[in-house]
């Protein structure tokens, strides 16, 4: 697995499931196995398992098509980056950076997203407990107050992007941040819980009524997974 | 209004203007009434299903009736808040409102231009022969129409996230050139000397119900419904002409 993918333990754990599949899938496809390639992680639940909050059709397209495109594009541009590196082509390397940020970010974000969702039968929507619950109460007064602010942040995204509950690694506090397009949560902030606000995440079911999607998704939030990311 | 004959008439009545706008212009210092321009949704110059099969009626109806309307509703609210902040000499609120005004006004401007630069595939306006002078400069710039479309499509598909692709004319003194530009989210084409000729909406809401993640097919098919007659008019006109439709309601 590519070391650049392993910047946080949260990301590592989200991507872990995908690692052993690399050789199998590549082998089945008849291509040469290349060490360190990103692969599409399996969903930890069925496509239809998040209904009625998120339809099975959305989940299938979102995972199998959108996420997979980020994976293949990321691998493609990473390969080009290695080539540019080999040739010491600085201009090419710089030109590839936004593409790697976008497609690599798309891969990271979606990998974390699938993991921080769960069907209600598997604990989806059950409120957080332990240190994360404490941190949310300390920062926002209550879980409901945090959700309300989170939904306001989601609604305020102008264009495509994500809203995240993040942990500030300097202070340990949790806070809500929005990120444009596929900008990943890296650096000072640790991703705890992400919600995809791209139109492809809800349009087939909710069309322009995105506030309904933002409201419904809390029923399938996997707070247990989010809690494991919190340090 | 249907078909090509309606386009010119629609051009002038495109954005309705509330009487309060004129009142504000005539009496700019009478803030008591707190009158601000109220923008309203321009009617489409064709029916919702007129762009089928390339853009479905369902997409058009949601896109025009809901998405475009929301930009206008939010723009009107932001402009009202801005007028109040100006009246109260509240400069921090005015600054805080700017991004929302840019986004929602951009959404209104972009979609208004977009509806006009589309036409039913069966109409003569949807043939590039309706834009002889523009086509000549396209050929001079990109070699031929096919190469231009290829470059335009590549630009559209290279957009990361939501945004638009535009063919623009850039006027620099007596010189003018054509360029393909992309803008993020709802940023409008309002740079110095820039005249938008036609735009393509690359937000997912513009194609998702019909094309799902297959945006390359949307980008291919949109060429069947580009209104080259409008494009020629914008190309031959001035920057002020292109925006006349919007300026009328300021
Ligand atoms: Fe997504
Ligand atoms: Fe749009």
């Amino acid at each position: 697995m590519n070391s650049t993918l392993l910047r946080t333990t949260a990301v590592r754990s989200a991507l872990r499931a995908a690692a052993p599949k690399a050789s199998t899938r590549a082998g089945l496809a008849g291509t040469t196995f290349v060490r360190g390639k990103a692969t599409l992680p399996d969903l930890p639940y069925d496509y239809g398992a998040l209904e009625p909050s998120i339809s099975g059709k959305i989940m299938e397209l979102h995972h199998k098509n959108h996420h997979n495109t980020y994976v293949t594009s990321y691998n493609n541009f990473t390969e080009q980056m290695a080539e540019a590196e080999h040739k010491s082509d600085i201009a090419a390397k710089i030109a590839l950076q936004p593409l790697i940020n976008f497609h690599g970010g798309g891969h990271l974000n979606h990998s974390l997203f699938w993991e921080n969702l769960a069907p209600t039968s598997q604990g989806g929507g059950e409120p957080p407990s332990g240190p994360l619950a404490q941190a949310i109460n300390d920062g926002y007064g209550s879980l409901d107050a945090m959700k309300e602010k989170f939904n306001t942040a989601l609604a305020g995204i102008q264009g495509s992007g994500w809203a995240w509950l993040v942990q500030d690694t300097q202070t340990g506090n949790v806070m809500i941040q929005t990120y444009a397009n596929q900008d990943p949560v890296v650096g000072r902030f640790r991703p705890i819980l992400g919600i995809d606000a791209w139109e492809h995440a809800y349009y087939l079911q909710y069309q322009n009524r995105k506030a309904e999607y933002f409201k419904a998704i809390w029923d399938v939030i996997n707070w247990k997974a989010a809690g494991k990311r919190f340090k | 209004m249907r078909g090509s004959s309606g386009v010119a008439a629609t051009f002038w009545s495109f954005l309705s203007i509330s009487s309060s706008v004129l009142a504000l212009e005539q009496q700019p210092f009478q803030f008591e009434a707190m009158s601000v321009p109220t923008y309203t949704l321009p009617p489409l110059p064709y029916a919702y299903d007129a762009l089928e099969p390339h853009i479905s009626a369902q997409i058009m109806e949601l896109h025009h009736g809901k998405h475009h309307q929301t930009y206008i509703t939010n723009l009107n609210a932001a402009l009202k808040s801005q007028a109040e902040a100006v009246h109260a000499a509240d400069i921090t609120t005015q600054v805080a409102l700017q991004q929302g005004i840019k986004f929602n006004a951009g959404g209104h401007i972009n979609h208004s231009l977009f509806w006009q630069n589309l036409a039913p595939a069966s109409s003569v306006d949807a043939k590039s022969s309706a834009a002889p002078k523009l086509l000549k400069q396209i050929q001079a710039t990109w070699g031929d129409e096919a190469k231009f479309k290829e470059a335009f499509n590549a630009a559209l598909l290279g957009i990361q996230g939501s945004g638009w692709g535009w063919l623009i004319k850039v006027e620099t003194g007596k010189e003018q050139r054509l360029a393909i530009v992309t803008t993020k989210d709802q940023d409008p084409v309002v740079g110095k000397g820039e005249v938008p000729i036609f735009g393509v909406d690359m937000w997912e809401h513009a194609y998702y119900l019909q094309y799902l993640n297959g945006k390359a097919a949307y980008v291919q098919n949109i060429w069947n419904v580009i209104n080259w007659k409008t494009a020629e008019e914008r190309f031959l006109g001035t920057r002020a002409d292109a925006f006349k439709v919007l300026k009328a309601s300021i």
Side-chain angles (χ1 to χ4, degrees):
Chain A
M1 184 161 293
N2 194 311
S3 63
T4 59
L5 284 179
L6 304 178
R7 298 181 76 143
T8 68
T9 40
V11 169
R12 189 181 299 131
S13 107
L15 297 174
R16 190 178 296 134
K21 303 213 72 158
S23 54
T24 327
R25 290 202 173 186
L28 283 173
T31 54
T32 316
F33 172 61
V34 180
R35 232 178 110 80
K37 286 242 162 188
T39 56
L40 183 67
D42 281 338
L43 279 192
Y45 37 78
D46 291 337
Y47 286 133
L50 303 184
E51 294 195 354
S53 291
I54 306 174
S55 74
K57 177 120 192 260
I58 288 179
M59 288 302 294
E60 183 167 0
L61 278 160
H62 202 172
H63 176 256
K64 222 196 276 178
N65 295 51
H66 290 278
H67 188 170
N68 197 52
T69 301
Y70 291 118
V71 171
T72 51
S73 302
Y74 170 75
N75 285 333
N76 171 29
F77 293 122
T78 310
E79 223 164 82
Q80 290 182 32
M81 183 63 102
E83 211 176 298
E85 188 88 52
H86 183 67
K87 291 183 192 156
S88 300
D89 186 342
I90 295 173
K93 281 163 69 178
I94 292 170
L96 283 164
Q97 278 173 6
L99 292 160
I100 287 176
N101 180 71
F102 181 69
H103 295 284
H107 178 41
L108 291 189
N109 289 336
H110 287 93
S111 298
L112 291 165
F113 182 52
W114 309 136
E115 198 187 66
N116 68 221
L117 299 177
T120 48
S121 62
Q122 293 171 35
E126 274 170 31
S129 56
L132 176 57
Q134 190 60 51
I136 289 170
N137 282 335
D138 290 348
Y140 296 93
S142 70
L143 180 63
D144 282 344
M146 192 284 294
K147 284 184 191 173
E148 201 182 311
K149 289 204 167 63
F150 202 106
N151 283 2
T152 303
L154 281 165
I157 293 171
Q158 296 178 340
S160 300
W162 293 71
W164 288 89
L165 185 68
V166 300
Q167 185 178 16
D168 186 335
T169 57
Q170 292 177 2
T171 64
N173 295 335
V174 290
M175 52 201 280
I176 297 159
Q177 303 226 107
T178 60
Y179 290 76
N181 302 322
Q182 294 297 356
D183 286 354
V185 183
V186 291
R188 176 175 159 188
F189 300 103
R190 178 180 295 133
I192 303 296
L193 165 72
I195 294 181
D196 191 342
W198 280 60
E199 290 175 320
H200 66 235
Y202 61 83
Y203 209 81
L204 290 181
Q205 189 176 356
Y206 297 95
Q207 290 90 38
N208 63 302
R209 306 179 314 278
K210 60 180 175 181
E212 289 177 25
Y213 158 68
F214 298 149
K215 190 164 173 277
I217 200 165
W218 294 104
D219 294 340
V220 290
I221 291 298
N222 186 343
W223 281 107
K224 204 170 265 179
K228 282 184 193 152
R229 294 173 186 163
F230 184 78
K231 297 278 168 278
Chain B
M1 217 79 66
R2 297 284 182 275
S4 57
S5 61
V7 170
T10 312
F11 190 80
W12 296 104
S13 60
F14 197 49
L15 292 175
S16 58
I17 170 173
S18 80
S19 55
S20 62
V21 182
L22 294 171
L24 186 67
E25 277 181 0
Q26 284 157 8
Q27 303 167 329
F29 299 108
Q30 289 196 355
F31 283 110
E32 285 75 17
M34 208 54 84
S35 49
V36 287
T38 302
Y39 296 92
T40 56
L41 185 65
L44 278 191
Y46 36 75
Y48 282 133
D49 63 1
L51 305 184
E52 293 216 359
H54 308 294
I55 305 178
S56 73
Q58 192 194 9
I59 288 178
M60 289 302 292
E61 188 165 357
L62 281 162
H63 202 173
H64 176 259
K66 304 286 179 186
H67 290 279
H68 190 171
Q69 180 60 59
T70 300
Y71 292 117
I72 293 170
T73 304
N74 292 339
L75 172 64
N76 287 335
L79 291 177
K80 187 165 174 285
S81 301
Q82 190 194 41
E84 285 161 5
V86 169
H87 182 58
D90 181 351
I91 191 73
T92 51
T93 299
Q94 287 177 58
V95 173
L97 285 164
Q98 279 178 13
Q99 183 49 37
I101 291 174
K102 182 182 181 183
F103 179 69
N104 291 294
H108 177 41
I109 292 169
N110 289 334
H111 288 93
S112 297
L113 293 170
F114 183 52
W115 309 135
Q116 278 196 321
N117 70 222
L118 297 178
S122 57
S123 70
V124 288
D125 298 355
K127 308 282 172 283
S128 60
S129 52
K133 295 205 171 73
L134 172 59
L135 212 53
K136 219 172 148 193
Q137 187 153 349
I138 283 175
Q139 285 157 354
T141 309
W142 283 279
D144 60 46
E145 195 183 327
K147 286 205 190 89
F148 158 70
K149 287 181 178 173
E150 206 176 294
F152 198 96
N153 288 358
L156 291 176
L157 295 175
I159 293 171
Q160 297 177 344
S162 300
W164 291 72
W166 291 91
L167 173 65
I168 64 166
K169 176 174 74 168
V170 187
E171 294 173 328
T172 48
K174 281 181 185 156
E175 303 278 297
Q176 61 152 40
R177 60 184 175 83
L178 292 176
I180 296 165
V181 296
T182 60
T183 55
K184 68 171 177 60
D185 304 326
Q186 292 298 354
D187 288 357
V189 176
V190 289
K192 196 167 181 288
E194 293 176 354
V195 181
I197 292 175
F198 60 76
V200 175
D201 190 343
M202 287 305 289
W203 281 58
E204 290 175 318
H205 66 234
Y207 60 84
Y208 207 82
L209 291 179
Q210 188 177 356
Y211 294 94
L212 307 175
N213 64 303
K215 62 179 173 181
Y218 163 69
V219 159
Q220 277 300 325
N221 286 350
I222 195 87
W223 291 107
N224 294 307
V225 291
I226 290 293
N227 189 328
W228 288 93
K229 183 164 172 267
T230 296
E232 181 84 342
E233 283 165 6
R234 289 180 187 159
F235 173 66
L236 296 176
T238 64
R239 173 188 166 77
D241 290 334
F243 284 107
K244 194 172 281 169
V245 62
L246 296 157
K247 208 176 174 188
S249 63
I250 294 169

